[in-house]
mmCIF file of all heavy atoms in Angstrom:
data_model
loop_
_atom_site.group_PDB
_atom_site.id
_atom_site.type_symbol
_atom_site.label_atom_id
_atom_site.label_comp_id
_atom_site.label_asym_id
_atom_site.label_seq_id
_atom_site.Cartn_x
_atom_site.Cartn_y
_atom_site.Cartn_z
ATOM 1 N N SER A 313 84.262 -5.152 -2.408
ATOM 2 C CA SER A 313 83.367 -4.778 -1.317
ATOM 3 C C SER A 313 82.829 -3.365 -1.508
ATOM 4 O O SER A 313 83.410 -2.545 -2.222
ATOM 5 C CB SER A 313 84.114 -4.858 0.018
ATOM 6 O OG SER A 313 85.138 -3.874 0.074
ATOM 7 N N ALA A 314 81.711 -3.083 -0.847
ATOM 8 C CA ALA A 314 81.144 -1.728 -0.888
ATOM 9 C C ALA A 314 82.131 -0.719 -0.315
ATOM 10 O O ALA A 314 82.241 0.417 -0.803
ATOM 11 C CB ALA A 314 79.825 -1.695 -0.120
ATOM 12 N N GLU A 315 82.875 -1.147 0.719
ATOM 13 C CA GLU A 315 83.854 -0.249 1.354
ATOM 14 C C GLU A 315 84.978 0.102 0.387
ATOM 15 O O GLU A 315 85.403 1.261 0.305
ATOM 16 C CB GLU A 315 84.433 -0.902 2.617
ATOM 17 C CG GLU A 315 83.429 -1.093 3.744
ATOM 18 C CD GLU A 315 82.610 -2.361 3.575
ATOM 19 O OE1 GLU A 315 82.825 -3.118 2.593
ATOM 20 O OE2 GLU A 315 81.730 -2.600 4.429
ATOM 21 N N LEU A 316 85.464 -0.900 -0.340
ATOM 22 C CA LEU A 316 86.537 -0.629 -1.290
ATOM 23 C C LEU A 316 86.028 0.222 -2.451
ATOM 24 O O LEU A 316 86.722 1.138 -2.912
ATOM 25 C CB LEU A 316 87.121 -1.943 -1.813
ATOM 26 C CG LEU A 316 88.273 -1.813 -2.816
ATOM 27 C CD1 LEU A 316 89.416 -0.989 -2.243
ATOM 28 C CD2 LEU A 316 88.772 -3.191 -3.246
ATOM 29 N N SER A 317 84.810 -0.043 -2.909
ATOM 30 C CA SER A 317 84.218 0.778 -3.973
ATOM 31 C C SER A 317 84.146 2.238 -3.544
ATOM 32 O O SER A 317 84.497 3.149 -4.312
ATOM 33 C CB SER A 317 82.813 0.264 -4.317
ATOM 34 O OG SER A 317 82.844 -1.039 -4.816
ATOM 35 N N LYS A 318 83.686 2.466 -2.323
ATOM 36 C CA LYS A 318 83.552 3.831 -1.801
ATOM 37 C C LYS A 318 84.912 4.505 -1.709
ATOM 38 O O LYS A 318 85.074 5.675 -2.087
ATOM 39 C CB LYS A 318 82.864 3.801 -0.431
ATOM 40 C CG LYS A 318 82.573 5.164 0.176
ATOM 41 C CD LYS A 318 81.760 4.997 1.464
ATOM 42 C CE LYS A 318 81.328 6.334 2.047
ATOM 43 N NZ LYS A 318 82.480 7.146 2.501
ATOM 44 N N TRP A 319 85.897 3.749 -1.210
ATOM 45 C CA TRP A 319 87.239 4.322 -1.067
ATOM 46 C C TRP A 319 87.819 4.684 -2.434
ATOM 47 O O TRP A 319 88.371 5.780 -2.604
ATOM 48 C CB TRP A 319 88.149 3.322 -0.353
ATOM 49 C CG TRP A 319 89.544 3.852 -0.152
ATOM 50 C CD1 TRP A 319 90.003 4.625 0.865
ATOM 51 C CD2 TRP A 319 90.656 3.658 -1.051
ATOM 52 N NE1 TRP A 319 91.324 4.930 0.672
ATOM 53 C CE2 TRP A 319 91.750 4.353 -0.487
ATOM 54 C CE3 TRP A 319 90.822 2.975 -2.254
ATOM 55 C CZ2 TRP A 319 93.007 4.370 -1.099
ATOM 56 C CZ3 TRP A 319 92.066 3.003 -2.871
ATOM 57 C CH2 TRP A 319 93.144 3.691 -2.291
ATOM 58 N N LEU A 320 87.693 3.785 -3.398
ATOM 59 C CA LEU A 320 88.192 4.073 -4.740
ATOM 60 C C LEU A 320 87.492 5.286 -5.338
ATOM 61 O O LEU A 320 88.137 6.177 -5.919
ATOM 62 C CB LEU A 320 87.968 2.863 -5.658
ATOM 63 C CG LEU A 320 88.949 1.700 -5.571
ATOM 64 C CD1 LEU A 320 88.427 0.507 -6.363
ATOM 65 C CD2 LEU A 320 90.329 2.108 -6.090
ATOM 66 N N ASN A 321 86.181 5.327 -5.193
ATOM 67 C CA ASN A 321 85.393 6.404 -5.794
ATOM 68 C C ASN A 321 85.771 7.765 -5.232
ATOM 69 O O ASN A 321 85.759 8.765 -5.947
ATOM 70 C CB ASN A 321 83.905 6.133 -5.580
ATOM 71 C CG ASN A 321 83.034 6.882 -6.554
ATOM 72 O OD1 ASN A 321 83.308 6.915 -7.748
ATOM 73 N ND2 ASN A 321 81.973 7.498 -6.043
ATOM 74 N N GLU A 322 86.109 7.798 -3.938
ATOM 75 C CA GLU A 322 86.428 9.072 -3.281
ATOM 76 C C GLU A 322 87.915 9.394 -3.299
ATOM 77 O O GLU A 322 88.328 10.442 -2.808
ATOM 78 C CB GLU A 322 85.915 9.032 -1.834
ATOM 79 C CG GLU A 322 84.388 8.942 -1.750
ATOM 80 C CD GLU A 322 83.886 8.823 -0.321
ATOM 81 O OE1 GLU A 322 84.734 8.674 0.602
ATOM 82 O OE2 GLU A 322 82.651 8.865 -0.124
ATOM 83 N N SER A 323 88.730 8.501 -3.848
ATOM 84 C CA SER A 323 90.176 8.726 -3.894
ATOM 85 C C SER A 323 90.527 9.661 -5.046
ATOM 86 O O SER A 323 89.653 10.121 -5.786
ATOM 87 C CB SER A 323 90.907 7.391 -4.082
ATOM 88 O OG SER A 323 90.717 6.911 -5.419
ATOM 89 N N ASP A 324 91.830 9.928 -5.185
ATOM 90 C CA ASP A 324 92.268 10.720 -6.342
ATOM 91 C C ASP A 324 92.998 9.846 -7.362
ATOM 92 O O ASP A 324 93.753 10.338 -8.200
ATOM 93 C CB ASP A 324 93.162 11.879 -5.894
ATOM 94 C CG ASP A 324 94.394 11.408 -5.131
ATOM 95 O OD1 ASP A 324 94.555 10.178 -4.939
ATOM 96 O OD2 ASP A 324 95.207 12.267 -4.728
ATOM 97 N N ILE A 325 92.768 8.536 -7.288
ATOM 98 C CA ILE A 325 93.350 7.616 -8.264
ATOM 99 C C ILE A 325 92.778 7.912 -9.644
ATOM 100 O O ILE A 325 91.565 8.020 -9.815
ATOM 101 C CB ILE A 325 93.057 6.149 -7.853
ATOM 102 C CG1 ILE A 325 93.730 5.841 -6.518
ATOM 103 C CG2 ILE A 325 93.511 5.171 -8.933
ATOM 104 C CD1 ILE A 325 93.268 4.558 -5.882
ATOM 105 N N GLN A 326 93.651 8.007 -10.625
ATOM 106 C CA GLN A 326 93.217 8.425 -11.953
ATOM 107 C C GLN A 326 92.754 7.275 -12.842
ATOM 108 O O GLN A 326 91.872 7.446 -13.683
ATOM 109 C CB GLN A 326 94.363 9.168 -12.654
ATOM 110 C CG GLN A 326 94.745 10.482 -11.984
ATOM 111 C CD GLN A 326 93.579 11.450 -11.921
ATOM 112 O OE1 GLN A 326 92.998 11.819 -12.943
ATOM 113 N NE2 GLN A 326 93.217 11.865 -10.716
ATOM 114 N N HIS A 327 93.340 6.100 -12.648
ATOM 115 C CA HIS A 327 93.096 5.004 -13.588
ATOM 116 C C HIS A 327 92.761 3.726 -12.827
ATOM 117 O O HIS A 327 93.441 3.362 -11.863
ATOM 118 C CB HIS A 327 94.331 4.757 -14.462
ATOM 119 C CG HIS A 327 94.951 6.006 -14.993
ATOM 120 N ND1 HIS A 327 94.430 6.703 -16.059
ATOM 121 C CD2 HIS A 327 96.056 6.696 -14.589
ATOM 122 C CE1 HIS A 327 95.191 7.760 -16.308
ATOM 123 N NE2 HIS A 327 96.182 7.779 -15.422
ATOM 124 N N VAL A 328 91.731 3.027 -13.271
ATOM 125 C CA VAL A 328 91.343 1.737 -12.685
ATOM 126 C C VAL A 328 91.138 0.731 -13.817
ATOM 127 O O VAL A 328 90.508 1.042 -14.835
ATOM 128 C CB VAL A 328 90.051 1.851 -11.857
ATOM 129 C CG1 VAL A 328 89.596 0.467 -11.377
ATOM 130 C CG2 VAL A 328 90.266 2.771 -10.647
ATOM 131 N N ILE A 329 91.689 -0.445 -13.636
ATOM 132 C CA ILE A 329 91.430 -1.569 -14.542
ATOM 133 C C ILE A 329 90.747 -2.651 -13.721
ATOM 134 O O ILE A 329 91.242 -3.044 -12.662
ATOM 135 C CB ILE A 329 92.722 -2.101 -15.179
ATOM 136 C CG1 ILE A 329 93.334 -1.040 -16.101
ATOM 137 C CG2 ILE A 329 92.453 -3.398 -15.956
ATOM 138 C CD1 ILE A 329 94.675 -1.414 -16.672
ATOM 139 N N TYR A 330 89.612 -3.113 -14.198
ATOM 140 C CA TYR A 330 88.804 -4.083 -13.462
ATOM 141 C C TYR A 330 88.690 -5.350 -14.312
ATOM 142 O O TYR A 330 88.131 -5.327 -15.402
ATOM 143 C CB TYR A 330 87.416 -3.496 -13.192
ATOM 144 C CG TYR A 330 86.575 -4.213 -12.141
ATOM 145 C CD1 TYR A 330 85.905 -3.493 -11.157
ATOM 146 C CD2 TYR A 330 86.426 -5.600 -12.153
ATOM 147 C CE1 TYR A 330 85.120 -4.141 -10.191
ATOM 148 C CE2 TYR A 330 85.656 -6.252 -11.196
ATOM 149 C CZ TYR A 330 85.009 -5.513 -10.229
ATOM 150 O OH TYR A 330 84.243 -6.171 -9.295
ATOM 151 N N SER A 331 89.232 -6.451 -13.810
ATOM 152 C CA SER A 331 89.103 -7.750 -14.467
ATOM 153 C C SER A 331 88.101 -8.578 -13.682
ATOM 154 O O SER A 331 88.253 -8.760 -12.473
ATOM 155 C CB SER A 331 90.458 -8.462 -14.520
ATOM 156 O OG SER A 331 90.344 -9.724 -15.151
ATOM 157 N N SER A 332 87.081 -9.072 -14.366
ATOM 158 C CA SER A 332 85.969 -9.724 -13.673
ATOM 159 C C SER A 332 85.569 -11.021 -14.356
ATOM 160 O O SER A 332 85.625 -11.137 -15.587
ATOM 161 C CB SER A 332 84.758 -8.777 -13.642
ATOM 162 O OG SER A 332 83.610 -9.449 -13.161
ATOM 163 N N CYS A 333 85.159 -12.004 -13.552
ATOM 164 C CA CYS A 333 84.590 -13.247 -14.102
ATOM 165 C C CYS A 333 83.086 -13.285 -13.890
ATOM 166 O O CYS A 333 82.458 -14.328 -14.078
ATOM 167 C CB CYS A 333 85.256 -14.468 -13.454
ATOM 168 S SG CYS A 333 85.041 -14.571 -11.667
ATOM 169 N N ASN A 334 82.490 -12.146 -13.518
ATOM 170 C CA ASN A 334 81.051 -12.080 -13.273
ATOM 171 C C ASN A 334 80.544 -10.700 -13.681
ATOM 172 O O ASN A 334 80.707 -9.726 -12.942
ATOM 173 C CB ASN A 334 80.746 -12.348 -11.796
ATOM 174 C CG ASN A 334 79.264 -12.365 -11.489
ATOM 175 O OD1 ASN A 334 78.426 -12.114 -12.352
ATOM 176 N ND2 ASN A 334 78.918 -12.664 -10.255
ATOM 177 N N ALA A 335 79.932 -10.605 -14.849
ATOM 178 C CA ALA A 335 79.499 -9.306 -15.370
ATOM 179 C C ALA A 335 78.432 -8.657 -14.500
ATOM 180 O O ALA A 335 78.312 -7.427 -14.474
ATOM 181 C CB ALA A 335 78.996 -9.456 -16.801
ATOM 182 N N LYS A 336 77.645 -9.445 -13.771
ATOM 183 C CA LYS A 336 76.598 -8.877 -12.914
ATOM 184 C C LYS A 336 77.204 -8.108 -11.742
ATOM 185 O O LYS A 336 76.811 -6.962 -11.467
ATOM 186 C CB LYS A 336 75.671 -9.977 -12.396
ATOM 187 C CG LYS A 336 74.792 -10.607 -13.463
ATOM 188 C CD LYS A 336 73.823 -11.603 -12.870
ATOM 189 C CE LYS A 336 72.979 -12.269 -13.952
ATOM 190 N NZ LYS A 336 72.133 -11.309 -14.703
ATOM 191 N N SER A 337 78.168 -8.720 -11.032
ATOM 192 C CA SER A 337 78.806 -8.004 -9.928
ATOM 193 C C SER A 337 79.668 -6.863 -10.455
ATOM 194 O O SER A 337 79.801 -5.820 -9.805
ATOM 195 C CB SER A 337 79.630 -8.955 -9.055
ATOM 196 O OG SER A 337 80.661 -9.579 -9.804
ATOM 197 N N LEU A 338 80.235 -7.030 -11.651
ATOM 198 C CA LEU A 338 80.996 -5.945 -12.268
ATOM 199 C C LEU A 338 80.108 -4.738 -12.513
ATOM 200 O O LEU A 338 80.479 -3.595 -12.188
ATOM 201 C CB LEU A 338 81.608 -6.436 -13.585
ATOM 202 C CG LEU A 338 82.232 -5.367 -14.486
ATOM 203 C CD1 LEU A 338 83.414 -4.703 -13.810
ATOM 204 C CD2 LEU A 338 82.647 -5.981 -15.827
ATOM 205 N N ALA A 339 78.907 -4.943 -13.068
ATOM 206 C CA ALA A 339 77.983 -3.836 -13.343
ATOM 207 C C ALA A 339 77.621 -3.104 -12.058
ATOM 208 O O ALA A 339 77.569 -1.864 -12.022
ATOM 209 C CB ALA A 339 76.735 -4.366 -14.035
ATOM 210 N N ARG A 340 77.373 -3.870 -11.000
ATOM 211 C CA ARG A 340 77.063 -3.247 -9.700
ATOM 212 C C ARG A 340 78.218 -2.382 -9.231
ATOM 213 O O ARG A 340 78.029 -1.235 -8.780
ATOM 214 C CB ARG A 340 76.776 -4.354 -8.685
ATOM 215 C CG ARG A 340 76.478 -3.856 -7.268
ATOM 216 C CD ARG A 340 76.806 -4.936 -6.242
ATOM 217 N NE ARG A 340 78.234 -5.228 -6.231
ATOM 218 C CZ ARG A 340 78.759 -6.384 -5.810
ATOM 219 N NH1 ARG A 340 77.967 -7.377 -5.429
ATOM 220 N NH2 ARG A 340 80.075 -6.553 -5.814
ATOM 221 N N ASP A 341 79.445 -2.898 -9.337
ATOM 222 C CA ASP A 341 80.606 -2.155 -8.853
ATOM 223 C C ASP A 341 80.885 -0.925 -9.706
ATOM 224 O O ASP A 341 81.297 0.121 -9.188
ATOM 225 C CB ASP A 341 81.833 -3.070 -8.810
ATOM 226 C CG ASP A 341 81.710 -4.151 -7.755
ATOM 227 O OD1 ASP A 341 80.861 -4.006 -6.846
ATOM 228 O OD2 ASP A 341 82.460 -5.148 -7.822
ATOM 229 N N LEU A 342 80.665 -1.022 -11.008
ATOM 230 C CA LEU A 342 80.862 0.146 -11.873
ATOM 231 C C LEU A 342 79.855 1.244 -11.525
ATOM 232 O O LEU A 342 80.182 2.442 -11.604
ATOM 233 C CB LEU A 342 80.737 -0.248 -13.342
ATOM 234 C CG LEU A 342 81.804 -1.191 -13.896
ATOM 235 C CD1 LEU A 342 81.598 -1.411 -15.391
ATOM 236 C CD2 LEU A 342 83.205 -0.662 -13.629
ATOM 237 N N GLU A 343 78.646 0.860 -11.142
ATOM 238 C CA GLU A 343 77.656 1.849 -10.688
ATOM 239 C C GLU A 343 78.159 2.566 -9.442
ATOM 240 O O GLU A 343 77.981 3.777 -9.288
ATOM 241 C CB GLU A 343 76.326 1.161 -10.386
ATOM 242 C CG GLU A 343 75.551 0.709 -11.616
ATOM 243 C CD GLU A 343 74.879 1.874 -12.333
ATOM 244 O OE1 GLU A 343 74.946 3.016 -11.831
ATOM 245 O OE2 GLU A 343 74.293 1.627 -13.406
ATOM 246 N N ARG A 344 78.785 1.829 -8.547
ATOM 247 C CA ARG A 344 79.315 2.421 -7.315
ATOM 248 C C ARG A 344 80.491 3.355 -7.597
ATOM 249 O O ARG A 344 80.759 4.267 -6.817
ATOM 250 C CB ARG A 344 79.765 1.310 -6.360
ATOM 251 C CG ARG A 344 78.620 0.484 -5.771
ATOM 252 C CD ARG A 344 79.179 -0.712 -5.012
ATOM 253 N NE ARG A 344 78.134 -1.442 -4.284
ATOM 254 C CZ ARG A 344 78.339 -2.611 -3.660
ATOM 255 N NH1 ARG A 344 79.543 -3.169 -3.683
ATOM 256 N NH2 ARG A 344 77.347 -3.189 -3.015
ATOM 257 N N LEU A 345 81.193 3.107 -8.700
ATOM 258 C CA LEU A 345 82.347 3.939 -9.057
ATOM 259 C C LEU A 345 81.905 5.061 -9.986
ATOM 260 O O LEU A 345 82.423 5.232 -11.090
ATOM 261 C CB LEU A 345 83.424 3.072 -9.717
ATOM 262 C CG LEU A 345 84.023 1.962 -8.847
ATOM 263 C CD1 LEU A 345 84.959 1.067 -9.658
ATOM 264 C CD2 LEU A 345 84.760 2.550 -7.652
#
Side-chain angles (χ1 to χ4, degrees):
S313 66
E315 293 83 1
L316 181 56
S317 297
K318 184 174 185 295
W319 181 86
L320 280 170
N321 201 45
E322 295 177 353
S323 72
D324 58 0
I325 297 167
Q326 295 301 302
H327 315 282
V328 174
I329 294 174
Y330 195 134
S331 180
S332 171
C333 61
N334 183 356
K336 291 185 182 298
S337 60
L338 170 64
R340 178 205 65 204
D341 292 342
L342 294 184
E343 287 284 356
R344 291 171 173 172
L345 297 173

